[in-house]
Amino acid sequence: EAQVTQNPRYLITVTGKKLTVTCSQNMNHEYMSWYRQDPGLGLRQIYYSMNVEVTDKGDVPEGYKVSRKEKRNFPLILESPSPNQTSLYFCASSLSGPRGDEQFFGPGTRLTVL
Amino acid sequence: GQQLNQSPQSMFIQEGEDVSMNCTSSSIFNTWLWYKQEPGEGPVLLIALYKAGELTSNGRLTAQFGITRKDSFLNISASIPSDVGIYFCAGQLLTDSWGKLQFGAGTQVVVTP
């Protein structure tokens, strides 16, 4: 089954404790992206990757890091989480480029930073 | 930053009623997209629109690409309980490598029996 998976689905952590949210896709997609979703703001892009070893900032990259060492994986790293990073996070992928009509979204990771 | 204004923010409707929502922008887009997000899930594409004036249906859903290319509308006819969810519009400016998606804030739809 073609899918984007994220882990963990739920996470409660404390300020300053480094964490990683994993994202994996099994569709051989080149493009992957991370979004955060906050009430009243919709989805905002954090980082994206056009292909292996190619990453770039989205609209709200501060406080986040990403890496793209393999085509299928695109982890999101919070080196020192803060309460304002409490949010619902989505990973997405598409075959080539950020085509909205081809983009598959993962199920989401709900993060709470205390 | 976000440039799409989506309204209404929420709708509480009775089963069988029609639902309308819209999205407006200060920017011109080449593509308009409508997604639905159910609780605990990621957004799923409902309808994609590629031409100004285009009217496209997907079952009971109908969406239109505004003539000015700055707005789009989604209608749901004869709503049923499974229509519950958050509906997002998204605009995309088509370039050689496809431009970034910009999302509206979403419309929460609640359907009561």
Side-chain angles (χ1 to χ4, degrees):
Chain A
E1 180 190 355
Q3 59 183 353
V4 178
T5 56
Q6 296 179 225
N7 282 293
R9 294 289 312 276
Y10 302 90
L11 179 60
I12 300 174
T13 189
V14 295
T15 299
K17 186 176 181 183
K18 181 179 177 180
L19 66 92
T20 299
V21 183
T22 64
C23 173
S24 183
Q25 49 91 7
N26 62 0
M27 297 166 279
N28 202 35
H29 283 173
E30 291 184 347
Y31 182 88
M32 297 185 74
S33 178
W34 276 103
Y35 296 88
R36 60 177 289 172
Q37 181 182 359
D38 302 291
L41 295 177
L43 282 82
R44 293 179 294 167
Q45 192 177 50
I46 302 170
Y47 267 95
Y48 64 94
S49 169
M50 296 293 287
N51 212 326
V52 175
E53 302 292 2
V54 181
T55 63
D56 210 345
K57 296 177 181 178
D59 293 320
V60 288
E62 293 78 21
Y64 304 94
K65 285 175 56 178
V66 292
S67 69
R68 188 90 182 274
K69 294 185 171 60
E70 305 165 283
K71 200 170 190 179
R72 63 182 293 127
N73 296 322
F74 190 44
L76 179 70
I77 303 154
L78 284 72
E79 294 270 4
S80 182
S82 61
N84 64 13
Q85 292 178 298
T86 292
S87 187
L88 179 58
Y89 291 87
F90 288 101
C91 180
S93 73
S94 56
L95 185 60
S96 60
R99 288 191 60 145
D101 58 351
E102 291 182 350
Q103 202 151 161
F104 286 81
F105 284 85
T109 295
R110 187 167 290 282
L111 172 66
T112 301
V113 183
L114 302 174
Chain B
Q2 185 175 304
Q3 300 177 358
L4 298 188
N5 297 307
Q6 186 172 349
S7 64
Q9 286 187 339
S10 60
M11 304 186 72
F12 294 82
I13 58 172
Q14 282 198 314
E15 186 174 356
E17 288 184 345
D18 295 345
V19 176
S20 291
M21 62 193 79
N22 69 80
C23 225
T24 60
S25 171
S26 57
S27 302
I28 291 175
F29 292 110
N30 297 99
T31 302
W32 280 97
L33 306 150
W34 286 92
Y35 293 86
K36 180 187 179 186
Q37 182 183 1
E38 298 188 11
E41 303 289 336
V44 174
L45 182 67
L46 298 172
I47 293 178
L49 302 156
Y50 303 101
K51 283 175 57 176
E54 181 181 353
L55 188 70
T56 298
S57 294
N58 177 5
R60 291 178 296 104
L61 278 63
T62 302
Q64 184 162 25
F65 193 140
I67 291 292
T68 65
R69 294 165 63 195
K70 292 184 177 182
D71 56 7
S72 180
F73 308 86
L74 176 69
N75 295 313
I76 306 172
S77 62
S79 59
I80 59 178
S82 62
D83 289 334
V84 165
I86 304 175
Y87 292 79
F88 290 100
C89 63
Q92 191 162 33
L93 185 62
L94 176 61
T95 64
D96 287 343
S97 59
W98 287 78
K100 189 168 54 181
L101 274 179
Q102 296 185 35
F103 285 87
T107 296
Q108 172 83 57
V109 172
V110 177
V111 181
T112 56

